[in-house]
Amino acid sequence: MLRSTLLSCDLTETIKWGSPCYMWKNENIAGLTAFKNYTGLWFFMGGLLQDKNKYLTNAQEGKTKAMRQWRFFSREEILSAPIRDYILESVENYKLGIKIKPSSKNKVFEIPELLAKALIDDHQLYTTWNSFSPSCQREYAEYLAEAKLEETRKKRLDKMIVMIKNNMSLNDKYKK
């Protein structure tokens, strides 16, 4: 039912992040996800929608300012919801060029001690590291820091050293 509503709004259906995603031109408008207890309809720029009846929730509080989710627990909720209005409002915002821009610039991060030592000990690693953008450096630092076990941190560092020396960002293999 949700899929039919989305397609009736002249959106293009594709698969992104393993789930159906609905686009207007090249812009992500909405996505569908199924969970154990509910079905979620994601609006990529849901933070801009009027949402007078408070249907939308920020399911990633602290992570996103833009994305909002609408949760449906029954078929009846879907039938009675003004979903089409929300979709059309979202498309209209894109047409007007209204977007919430990511605020990752100048985001402070800490270089883990293990990585700092490797950078000091290896001049080539240090030189290549300094050629990376702050966001690329942050990705590497956070990837290493989020490992809980020392063994995992060491394995990640070994992998990172090879990638850095080959001038690769952490997520190059996922980019086209």
Side-chain angles (χ1 to χ4, degrees), residues 108-162:
V108 178
F109 65 94
E110 198 172 305
I111 296 176
E113 191 176 317
L114 202 57
L115 177 57
K117 184 177 178 345
L119 291 169
I120 291 168
D121 293 345
D122 188 327
H123 181 70
Q124 181 193 356
L125 184 67
Y126 178 79
T127 304
T128 308
W129 172 263
N130 284 327
S131 71
F132 287 164
S133 67
S135 62
C136 183
Q137 291 176 352
R138 183 180 63 250
E139 284 176 353
Y140 271 119
E142 289 174 353
Y143 175 68
L144 186 59
E146 70 189 14
K148 292 177 179 59
L149 300 174
E150 185 66 25
E151 180 183 333
T152 306
R153 282 191 291 274
K154 286 179 181 175
K155 283 180 183 177
R156 286 187 180 186
L157 180 64
D158 291 341
K159 175 184 168 185
M160 288 168 45
I161 288 171
V162 172

Side-chain angles (χ1 to χ4, degrees), residues 76-90:
E76 291 71 32
E77 283 182 274
I78 295 170
L79 289 170
S80 64
I83 300 163
R84 189 173 169 79
D85 295 340
Y86 279 66
I87 296 166
L88 296 175
E89 181 184 349
S90 188

